[in-house]
Amino acid sequence: MTSAALGGRQQPVDVYLPPGYAAHASARYPVVYLLHGFPGMPAGFFRAGRLGVVEDILIAKRLIRPVILVAPFGSTGVFTDKEWANGVRPHEGWETYVARDVVRAVDARYRTIRAGWARALVGLSEGGYGALNIGVHHPGEFRVLESWSGYVRADDIASIFGKRQAVLRWNSPALTFPAAAAALRAAHTFVWFYSGSVDKSLLPQNREFEQELSRLRIGSHFAVVRGGHDWALWRGQAAKALLAACKRLLLPSYQARARHVPGTSNVRKGRA
């Protein structure tokens, strides 16, 4: 796809269509957007993370309804860091690329439910930070925000944030959630996140963030999971994470709107 936020740059986007998509020509689907870490590529979610297989299994067990999985590429190279943020340099609008350009392109090309209550923004490591940072800047654009081993304070990277304290603060969810709390509550935003038990550099700030979300009365779930900062942890939690996202994309008040999605009548209620 071509992104105006990136100055017309073309970026690859991996899309996984659920079982039955071709057979139900009139059906529309919720979308789960997946943000990779650094270094990383979109394909990691489907190769190392096996997210497509995970979705197929959950659908077969009638635990979730079908969703479209979308994994954009968030950089100009595997080892080029962009933080999924709007940088200070021209044509470096990586946040806008996700929240506006990718969403519009997916809505235009696929049979999606074109509403924020039918979208989840999920990321791992740097992508987890990106999901929270983008979500807080765009209340209502995504119903669920998930961070797998992410962080909530922007890394002071000069090439992205220009050593500008105001820009760093604006891109630190730990500091921006309070001002957006009312809008996030009104949009029924739910934050689902976890840290590995031996991820010592990120675990403390996530624990503090959990307390902040509770104080702000923003719906959330936080867990400390045994493991480190790697695919062994993320792959092991993938089913639980996808189940949690899909559960929140089908709140009771919106079930009537989602009845045209195949499989919704068979979704089981449960804790996630």
Side-chain angles (χ1 to χ4, degrees), residues 16 31 84 102 139 157 180 190 210 212 215 224 238 257:
Y16 185 87
V31 184
W84 297 100
V102 174
I157 301 173
F190 189 81
E210 175 193 24
E212 181 71 352
R215 185 184 69 82
V224 179
R257 305 184 196 180

Side-chain angles (χ1 to χ4, degrees), residues 36-41 73 75-81:
H36 61 77
F38 171 76
M41 291 284 289
F73 184 36
S75 184
T76 56
V78 176
F79 297 99
T80 305
D81 196 357

Side-chain angles (χ1 to χ4, degrees), residues 101-184:
D101 296 348
V102 174
V103 170
R104 289 180 181 177
V106 170
D107 281 349
R109 300 182 192 189
Y110 299 96
R111 299 194 310 275
T112 65
I113 298 174
R114 300 175 182 179
W117 56 264
R119 300 187 192 109
L121 188 59
V122 175
L124 63 85
S125 191
E126 180 179 287
Y129 155 77
L132 297 175
N133 194 42
I134 294 170
V136 73
H137 291 161
H138 302 269
E141 189 69 16
F142 305 93
R143 162 56 58 79
V144 179
L145 308 176
E146 286 195 4
S147 173
W148 310 354
S149 305
Y151 47 95
V152 294
R153 293 184 179 273
D155 286 337
D156 192 1
I157 301 173
S159 61
I160 301 172
F161 302 116
K163 294 291 182 180
R164 303 177 188 178
Q165 291 304 308
V167 178
L168 285 170
R169 289 194 298 272
W170 172 247
N171 287 285
S172 293
L175 304 178
T176 53
F177 260 71
L184 293 169

